[in-house]
């Protein structure tokens, strides 16, 4: 008899999802699916609001990544106003996104994944959390808490509050940065750098064998991300690059506004999360990955000394471009280091304190695309507006969605490797969840296509058998 | 230093009563107050510097304003973080946690929207008075103790 194993809910991720594992008659894994079971629907109810409202409105998509949505939305608004955003505003937005990368990556690593990594995949589930981590690794926990607090405080000093700061607007930002706040942020960077250096060292010492690093799956895919015009790591602005599994560029220098040339979107009846794919290869062959590992695999270099040294070592350990899902954790730590180094550079730029931070204009274009790199990967906001700036349609391709095919591939690999003859235990199921956790998905950010997804409803009888299946294509 | 933490979402009607009370308190050099949507691990950095802490939170089942100690019942660490878990994290990460109390204020409407219901609004003066008394008294007894 065929069986189904459910992991519901998937824990230590943002949002709500479940995993189903489908076993054949022998008890081996036939298929694995990651279902995102919540729906937010922002693409629909943004319609009818003005482009000026969009940053504050779309910020409410998420309590973890509001900064990402604010910045992508503001950039789409910049395109619709067709204005030259003041240099100070670009620098301030860049600084906020660096703070966002630090705080979000710190949350993912120290709070959500470090319990698995440093307490063990099969350790007592009652202690496999940040509280257990504090007991076993007090110093690491303290450093992680302080690092995330620094990233959050940076956002608050810039935007007035940590969550949902209605600060970036079409044309710039709503207020400049004061010298005292600039100096405070700068004063905290050395401690944050010390924390990430220590953590990187610990991570590399702890996970040094190939076996440990392939535990969450190792497979080839394409990678997508922003890079600077000359190929360096980029998170705000830049051009889109797509590389193959070996790092060879398939698309380079693409204007992000033309993302539809290379990215298509598919849907499945068992998840509210869309399945973006690389259009030239079709669906589902066009699987690609974004986020920390994607960005490290698309860029030629970081452009800062310590992160570049780490990137060189990362590639030496992984024999070039890594396909290992586990390396998302490693890449996340390197990106924190890079973000802190870049913060130093931005903070030393005197243009940062210039009071002119916003360009005003009316509606000068009917379409605007804002693309930037959120902690979890490339984030796309695409708006169509009428002559008054009222949104008539919106398309949001959120970082987590890009990784949907790869997340499903990851859990299938882990499940096939660990479940044989139908036998499994809690530690194995946690490892499968860990395959999702490594991507750090933000599910509440990513589910918006109300009315456009096919839907499958199963009516299950009291004995557990499926009585009826209803399908909407 | 005494710390008051108002917990609640201002967009879910009476859930915002904790922040409302915290912001109404008169702070001084020896008193710090803040409002948060939910408790997060970073708050242990503020607990570390506090001698006492008062959590102010809406109580969906409450009928009156009540002050009580945060009870040490062992952590139930899950998707949400409560005062007990936060205190335990402070103790494990930094070696100690402050004397902790919770002020529960009745709430009746937790639907979407800003502003308190009339019934919850009626409890705000009493809650502010009780929190102020907690701040001015060095030794406090729990209600009903």
């Amino acid at each position: 008899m065929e069986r189904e194993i459910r992991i519901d809910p998937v824990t230590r991720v943002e949002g709500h999802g479940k995993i189903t594992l489908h076993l054949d008659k022998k008890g081996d894994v036939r298929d694995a699916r990651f279902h995102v079971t919540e729906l937010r629907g922002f693409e629909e109810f943004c319609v009818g609001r003005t482009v000026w409202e969009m940053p504050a409105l779309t910020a409410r998509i998420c309590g973890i990544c509001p900064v990402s949505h604010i910045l992508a939305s503001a950039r789409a608004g910049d395109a619709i106003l067709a204005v030259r955003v003041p240099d100070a505003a670009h620098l301030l937005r860049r600084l906020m996104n660096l703070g966002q990368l630090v705080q979000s990556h710190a949350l993912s690593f120290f709070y959500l994944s470090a319990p698995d990594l440093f307490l063990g995949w099969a350790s007592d589930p009652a202690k496999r959390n940040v509280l257990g981590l504090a007991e076993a690794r007090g110093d690491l926990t303290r450093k992680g808490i302080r690092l995330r607090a620094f990233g959050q405080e940076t956002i608050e000093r810039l935007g007035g509050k940590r969550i949902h700061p209605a600060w970036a607007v079409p044309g710039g930002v709503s207020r400049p940065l004061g010298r005292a706040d600039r100096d405070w942020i700068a004063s905290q960077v050395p401690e944050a750098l010390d924390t990430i250096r220590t953590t990187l060292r610990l991570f590399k010492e702890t996970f040094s064998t190939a076996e440990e690093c392939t535990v969450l799956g190792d497979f080839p895919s394409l990678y997508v991300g922003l890079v600077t015009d000359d190929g360096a790591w980029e998170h705000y602005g830049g051009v889109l690059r797509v590389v193959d599994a070996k790092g060879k560029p398939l698309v380079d220098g693409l204007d992000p506004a033309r993302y539809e040339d290379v990215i298509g979107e598919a849907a499945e009846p068992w998840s509210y999360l869309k399945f973006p794919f690389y259009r030239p290869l079709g669906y589902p062959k066009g699987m690609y990955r974004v986020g920390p590992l994607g960005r490290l695999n698309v860029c030629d270099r970081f452009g800062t000394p310590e992160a570049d040294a780490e990137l060189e070592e990362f590639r030496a350990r992984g024999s070039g471009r890594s396909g290992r899902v586990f390396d998302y954790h490693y890449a996340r730590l390197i990106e924190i280091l890079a973000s802190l180094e870049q913060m130093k550079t931005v903070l030393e730029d005197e243009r940062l304190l210039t009071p002119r931070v916003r360009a005003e204009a009316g509606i000068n274009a009917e379409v605007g695309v804002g693309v930037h790199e959120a902690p979890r990967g490339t984030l796309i906001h695409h708006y169509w507006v009428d002559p008054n700036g009222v949104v008539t349609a919106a398309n949001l391709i959120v970082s987590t969605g890009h990784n949907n095919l790869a997340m499903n591939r990851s859990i299938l690999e882990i499940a096939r490797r660990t479940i044989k003859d139908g036998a499994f235990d809690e530690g194995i199921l946690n490892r499968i969840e860990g395959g999702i956790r490594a991507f750090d998905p933000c599910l509440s950010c990513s589910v918006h296509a109300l009315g456009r997804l096919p839907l499958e409803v199963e009516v299950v009888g009291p004995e557990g058998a499926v009585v009826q299946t209803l399908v909407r294509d | 230093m005494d710390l008051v933490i108002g917990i609640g979402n201002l967009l879910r009607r009476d859930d915002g009563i904790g922040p409302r009370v915290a912001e109404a308190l008169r702070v001084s050099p020896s008193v710090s107050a803040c409002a948060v949507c939910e408790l997060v691990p970073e708050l242990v950095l503020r607990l570390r510097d506090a001698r006492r802490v008062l959590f102010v939170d809406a109580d969906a089942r409450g009928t009156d304003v009540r002050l009580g100690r945060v009870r040490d019942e062992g952590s139930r660490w899950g998707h949400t973080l409560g005062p007990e878990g936060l205190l335990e994290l402070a103790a494990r990460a930094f070696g100690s946690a402050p004397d902790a109390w919770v002020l529960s204020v009745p709430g009746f409407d937790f639907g979407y929207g800003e502003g308190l219901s009339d019934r919850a609004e009626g409890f705000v003066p009493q809650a502010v008075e009780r929190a102020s008394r907690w701040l001015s008294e060095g030794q406090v007894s729990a209600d009903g103790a």
Side-chain angles (χ1 to χ4, degrees):
Chain A
M1 179 182 155
E2 295 187 354
R3 288 173 60 200
E4 181 180 283
I5 302 167
R6 291 186 184 199
I7 304 173
D8 185 11
V10 178
T11 58
R12 282 183 276 137
V13 298
E14 288 95 25
H16 301 279
K18 69 176 181 181
I19 292 169
T20 57
L21 307 174
H22 304 261
L23 310 188
D24 61 20
K25 290 176 182 171
K26 186 168 166 282
D28 291 338
V29 176
R30 180 169 50 80
D31 198 6
R33 289 175 175 176
F34 175 49
H35 310 253
V36 181
T37 53
E38 62 179 316
L39 175 65
R40 305 298 303 289
F42 271 71
E43 286 181 354
E44 298 303 316
F45 58 75
C46 286
V47 173
R49 310 304 293 252
T50 70
V51 69
W52 289 280
E53 292 178 285
M54 290 298 281
L57 182 61
T58 56
R60 296 284 170 173
I61 288 173
C62 187
I64 303 292
C65 341
V67 165
S68 306
H69 290 288
I70 288 167
L71 295 178
S73 182
R75 289 186 69 86
D78 296 343
I80 288 169
L81 302 191
V83 290
R84 182 182 177 280
V85 174
D87 291 345
H90 277 312
L91 286 167
L92 289 165
R93 289 176 177 180
R94 186 174 280 277
L95 182 60
M96 183 178 268
N97 202 40
L98 292 167
Q100 166 75 353
L101 285 163
V102 170
Q103 73 87 10
S104 180
H105 281 358
L107 185 156
S108 171
F109 185 82
F110 292 98
Y111 296 177
L112 304 183
S113 287
D116 294 327
L117 302 178
F118 295 105
L119 303 180
W121 296 102
S123 59
D124 179 0
K127 293 185 175 178
R128 206 170 51 216
N129 51 46
V130 72
L131 207 55
L133 188 73
E135 188 174 10
R137 300 261 189 171
D139 189 51
L140 181 72
T141 309
R142 282 190 293 277
K143 286 179 182 295
I145 290 170
R146 288 184 62 81
L147 184 64
R148 179 163 197 248
F150 164 64
Q152 291 279 66
E153 181 75 18
T154 297
I155 292 166
E156 184 170 357
R157 298 253 173 180
L158 286 160
K161 56 182 185 175
R162 294 170 186 219
I163 303 173
H164 306 137
W167 172 74
V169 292
V173 301
S174 60
R175 66 174 199 180
L177 179 68
R179 188 173 294 276
D181 286 324
R182 191 274 308 265
D183 292 347
W184 183 89
I185 297 169
S187 73
Q188 302 300 304
V189 173
E191 181 190 329
L193 275 168
D194 179 62
T195 289
I196 201 59
R197 289 177 190 130
T198 303
T199 309
L200 258 168
R201 196 161 50 241
L202 174 66
F203 184 90
K204 289 187 288 188
E205 286 168 1
T206 308
F207 303 103
S208 56
T209 69
E211 187 181 354
E212 288 165 327
C213 299
T214 56
V215 71
L216 301 180
D218 184 1
F219 52 87
S221 75
L222 309 182
Y223 299 94
V224 172
L226 292 173
V227 292
T228 63
D229 289 337
D230 62 350
W233 182 83
E234 181 58 289
H235 61 98
Y236 176 85
V239 292
L240 269 177
R241 178 183 276 185
V242 183
V243 302
D244 68 12
K246 294 190 170 163
K248 177 186 165 194
L250 303 177
V251 175
D252 207 359
L254 182 71
D255 176 357
R258 291 179 52 200
Y259 73 92
E260 289 175 306
D261 292 357
V262 294
I263 295 173
E265 297 179 74
E268 295 285 358
W270 41 269
S271 180
Y272 283 119
L273 184 56
K274 295 186 280 194
F275 287 79
F277 59 94
Y278 177 60
R279 197 182 283 280
L281 290 184
Y283 178 82
K285 201 175 171 194
M287 175 177 67
Y288 62 89
R289 284 182 267 186
V290 301
L293 185 66
R295 286 188 289 259
L296 261 66
N297 279 344
V298 298
C299 78
D300 300 332
R301 64 190 180 285
F302 276 98
T304 53
E306 289 190 64
D308 274 336
E310 291 291 345
L311 180 63
E312 190 175 336
E313 186 179 345
F314 174 84
R315 288 190 175 155
R317 288 164 67 111
S319 304
R321 261 61 175 182
S322 171
R324 305 185 302 204
V325 174
F326 188 85
D327 279 341
Y328 265 93
H329 297 303
Y330 189 4
R332 201 165 277 126
L333 295 178
I334 296 173
E335 284 205 326
I336 294 176
L337 176 64
S339 298
L340 292 167
E341 285 185 288
Q342 292 210 358
M343 281 176 94
K344 277 176 67 177
T345 305
V346 173
L347 289 162
E348 286 165 2
D349 192 325
E350 280 302 319
R351 292 176 298 169
L352 190 68
L353 301 180
T354 308
R356 183 165 180 76
V357 292
R358 183 176 184 179
E360 308 267 2
I363 302 302
N364 292 304
E366 293 178 349
V367 181
V369 179
V371 181
H372 90 122
E373 289 290 339
R376 292 159 184 82
T378 314
L379 174 62
I380 300 168
H381 279 219
H382 189 169
Y383 308 149
W384 291 259
V385 300
D386 71 10
N388 297 313
V390 175
V391 174
T392 56
N395 187 31
L396 309 177
I397 304 184
V398 179
S399 321
T400 292
H402 295 290
N403 285 330
N404 202 1
L405 280 167
M407 287 191 287
N408 279 277
R409 172 68 179 268
S410 175
I411 59 172
L412 180 62
E413 280 214 0
I414 304 167
R416 280 187 171 157
R417 183 185 297 191
T418 54
I419 297 177
K420 298 292 179 193
D421 300 325
F424 63 91
D425 58 24
E426 194 280 334
I428 286 175
L429 298 186
N430 182 49
R431 190 169 300 194
I432 294 168
E433 284 185 84
I436 297 296
R437 244 173 248 136
F439 289 90
D440 190 25
C442 192
L443 307 181
S444 49
C445 269
S446 55
V447 279
H448 304 293
L450 184 65
R452 278 188 274 150
L453 290 180
L455 188 67
E456 183 176 298
V457 176
E458 287 185 346
V459 180
V460 180
E463 304 299 322
V466 175
V467 176
Q468 190 178 1
T469 302
L470 307 170
V471 178
R472 184 189 71 201
D473 293 324
Chain B
M1 168 75 76
D2 288 337
L3 172 64
V4 179
I5 301 175
I7 309 166
N9 185 340
L10 297 172
L11 298 177
R12 297 301 292 265
R13 301 299 313 267
D14 294 350
D15 196 44
I17 203 163
R20 172 74 176 278
V21 171
E23 284 165 6
L25 291 171
R26 184 175 297 176
V27 296
S28 69
S30 63
V31 176
S32 173
C34 66
V36 297
C37 198
E38 60 183 355
L39 299 178
V40 292
E42 298 89 81
L43 280 169
V44 298
L45 300 173
R46 299 195 69 163
L47 294 189
R48 190 186 49 173
D49 301 325
R51 182 178 65 96
R52 299 188 307 161
V53 59
L54 177 67
F55 298 95
V56 186
D57 200 3
D59 182 355
R61 286 173 297 206
T63 55
D64 204 353
V65 174
R66 287 188 64 82
L67 180 72
R69 277 189 184 278
V70 176
R71 286 181 292 184
D72 180 10
E73 296 176 327
S75 66
R76 290 183 297 276
W77 194 271
H79 192 65
T80 57
L81 178 59
E84 302 87 351
L86 189 68
L87 291 163
E88 196 166 347
L89 181 60
R92 291 195 190 184
F94 293 101
S96 65
D99 183 22
W101 295 73
V102 61
L103 184 67
S104 301
V105 189
F108 307 95
D109 178 358
F110 294 87
Y112 296 111
E114 293 179 285
L116 304 179
S117 68
D118 290 344
R119 289 177 75 193
E121 190 73 51
F123 283 102
V124 170
Q126 190 183 343
V128 172
E129 188 277 331
R130 193 72 187 87
S132 300
R133 197 142 46 92
W134 179 87
L135 287 169
S136 62
E137 296 171 0
Q139 299 295 320
V140 185
S141 297
D143 292 337

